[in-house]
Amino acid sequence: MAVRKFIIMDPKDNVATAITSLHKGEAVELAGGKSLVLKDDIVFGHKFALCDIAAGEEVIKYGQPIGRATQPIPVGAHVHVHNVEGQRGRGDRVESLPHPGAVSSQGHGCCCG
Amino acid sequence: MVDQEVATKSPVLRGYRRPDGTFGVRNHLLILSSVVCANRATEMIAQAVPGAVAVTHQHGCSVIGPDMEMVRRTLAGTGKNPNCGAVLVLGLGCETIDAPGLAEEIATTGKPVDYVSIQEVGGTARAIEVGIEKARNMAEMLAAMEREPFSWDKLIFGTECGGSDTTSGLASNPVVGVAADLVVQHGGTAILSETPEIIGAEHLLAKRGRTPELSQAILDLIREVENRYLSMGVDFRGGNPSPGNIAGGLTTLEEKSLGAIHKGGTTPVNEVIGYACRPTQRGLVLMDTPGNDVESMTGMAAGGCQIMAFTTGRGTPTGNPICPVIKVTGNPETWNRMGGDMDLNASTIITGTETIEEVGARLFQLIVEVVNGRLTKAESLGHREFGITRLGMSL
């Protein structure tokens, strides 16, 4: 059995995760007889694009959005912090809280008494 | 509802019966500091008495309101944890969280509890002397106790991830999820913690609320916690995901969260509880803790959790003073390089020689062995990290 090179978590994903270190120019075989050529070295555990992703488009892993592309990401390119940003926990973007007053004075949820 | 057929086939758990009906999987003599000023005496007593474990911390004074309640609840919960057979509390005498009050709270469990106040007995040296004598009497009594069988509904299993990389979401967290499902199936309780690491995945977790109210409670909790962090006015990135998470291939908080919630398995969420609170329901429970590993584990242990599984991709050694912590890694390199800190190899999922279900079944077996007395790597290495989370400022 050939050693698996990457994992795609969900059919909706537009990125794959390398589970062995891959190299620029390497061709990787996808399902259905398709293949793509890597545009960067992809270190173990890092992601590459399965298709072209436009600037501002959602990056999908586990079938869910994990952030948005900050620039066009061509198929086979490394997908990481240099071209993706998260949409959550972005205190740097907050001018006013989305739900003013939602911060309770209790903190850390209920009290079990 | 526990499947009766499963329950009759449940592996036997053996632990130490406590007067309040709980069971410890360990029989620790806890020497607990109520305030930072008593740390030295606490440590010296624990060093002098066989089998004693010291819990020291930076807290106990100059806190108010919800912060004070949380510190008190955490310290009391640590003493109440069934893994502690007896507790000696060390205090100074003028602190916010006083030793007599803390001892009284812990004593509601019926277990042997005593305290020493440094100002009352006349200084650190005298407090050590008095404390050692009290602790020795407790140690002699604990040594005579034997394990007896207990039912799965008495077991609380905590889940934690730290030093995550992409293998956490692909392998080790799903493995812990399989084990959490098995614990729940046998009638036990599993805790999913680390609220910031649900941000971006809360819609998936909320769908699993046992009732519409619980689903809403999950969404409300995440919103509140996210707002609290947003009010600091900075991007989470660098803090969460951490530099190590990013080096390990995790790009955003959402990605980390979507991997992290796998630790909670697939069963309905039956309760949402605050930091260091004891679950009142069985099955899967969500505890509001920070993503900081040590603070999160401290909160779960204070909530009565007797055993934890901790997944790591990058490799982190931390444990807990009173709870056995089982380390699981899905990263083959980490298993090779830091195997001395790891209890279970889940990297076979990445290399394709085992399935998530197979490794999950191995973890479940290991949980049973550790409950019944097998030491974890964190225990044999003496990892006893303790840290209470904070909400506000010290005064």
Side-chain angles (χ1 to χ4, degrees), chain A residues 67-97:
Chain A
R68 288 186 188 277
T70 55
Q71 60 196 65
I73 305 174
V75 59
H78 183 210
V79 178
H80 203 23
V81 292
H82 60 291
N83 54 15
V84 178
E85 61 178 8
Q87 303 304 297
R88 302 293 299 274
R90 294 300 302 270
D92 57 321
R93 289 190 190 164
V94 171
E95 287 171 16
S96 63
L97 290 181

Side-chain angles (χ1 to χ4, degrees), chain B residues 32 75 114 128 163 169-170 173 205 252 257 300 334 341 347 364:
Chain B
L32 176 65
L75 293 174
D114 205 343
I128 293 168
L170 305 183
N173 288 339
L205 203 59
T252 64
S257 296
M300 288 192 285
T334 300
D341 291 275
S347 72
F364 181 72

Side-chain angles (χ1 to χ4, degrees), chain A:
Chain A
M1 185 184 113
V3 175
R4 291 185 305 165
K5 293 180 176 179
F6 60 91
I7 294 181
I8 299 170
M9 299 304 291
D10 188 280
K12 293 194 281 292
D13 292 1
N14 55 13
V15 291
T17 302
I19 53 171
T20 180
S21 286
L22 303 171
H23 303 287
K24 183 177 178 174
E26 194 174 332
V28 295
E29 305 298 321
L30 302 173
K34 293 182 192 158
S35 72
L36 60 80
V37 175
L38 295 173
K39 293 199 168 45
D40 303 295
D41 289 345
I42 312 292
V43 179
F44 172 92
H46 285 237
K47 296 175 290 295
F48 59 88
L50 292 169
C51 56
D52 289 336
I53 303 172
E57 195 182 334
E58 284 182 333
V59 177
I60 307 289
K61 182 181 169 184
Y62 301 107
Q64 300 289 329
I66 62 165
R68 288 186 188 277
T70 55
Q71 60 196 65
I73 305 174
V75 59
H78 183 210
V79 178
H80 203 23
V81 292
H82 60 291
N83 54 15
V84 178
E85 61 178 8
Q87 303 304 297
R88 302 293 299 274
R90 294 300 302 270
D92 57 321
R93 289 190 190 164
V94 171
E95 287 171 16
S96 63
L97 290 181
H99 307 281
V103 180
S104 86
S105 61
Q106 286 307 303
H108 290 280
C110 68
C111 181
C112 48

Side-chain angles (χ1 to χ4, degrees), chain B residues 39-51:
Chain B
N39 284 356
R40 176 67 178 160
T42 303
E43 285 159 5
M44 292 299 286
I45 294 164
Q47 279 170 26
V49 180

Side-chain angles (χ1 to χ4, degrees), chain B residues 240-265:
Chain B
N240 209 345
S242 70
N245 296 155
I246 291 169
L250 290 169
T251 305
T252 64
L253 182 63
E254 295 94 306
E255 182 183 8
K256 188 176 173 180
S257 296
L258 288 160
I261 66 162
H262 283 103
K263 300 193 300 297

Side-chain angles (χ1 to χ4, degrees), chain B residues 40-181:
Chain B
R40 176 67 178 160
T42 303
E43 285 159 5
M44 292 299 286
I45 294 164
Q47 279 170 26
V49 180
V53 58
V55 164
T56 57
H57 51 87
Q58 71 190 65
H59 306 281
C61 208
S62 322
V63 283
I64 51 165
D67 236 0
M68 182 186 72
E69 286 311 313
M70 202 163 62
V71 173
R72 186 185 294 278
R73 191 165 74 227
T74 308
L75 293 174
T78 303
K80 287 177 175 179
N81 185 297
N83 289 353
C84 301
V87 184
L88 180 67
V89 181
L90 266 289
L92 177 59
C94 54
E95 64 274 31
T96 309
I97 312 272
D98 64 305
L102 198 56
E104 194 181 351
E105 169 76 12
I106 296 165
T108 59
T109 59
K111 69 178 74 168
V113 181
D114 205 343
Y115 74 91
V116 179
S117 283
I118 294 169
Q119 289 168 353
E120 190 183 313
V121 298
T124 292
R126 181 73 185 128
I128 293 168
E129 203 180 321
V130 173
I132 287 173
E133 190 173 343
K134 288 176 188 264
R136 278 186 179 146
N137 290 332
M138 289 174 167
E140 288 162 14
M141 182 273 306
L142 288 182
M145 288 184 71
E146 289 183 0
R147 289 179 181 262
E148 50 187 282
F150 71 95
S151 56
W152 277 82
D153 62 349
K154 305 284 189 189
L155 189 74
I156 304 178
F157 166 66
T159 66
E160 181 70 28
C161 56
S164 299
D165 66 9
T166 43
T167 66
S168 303
L170 305 183
S172 54
N173 288 339
V175 160
V176 169
V178 169
D181 280 352

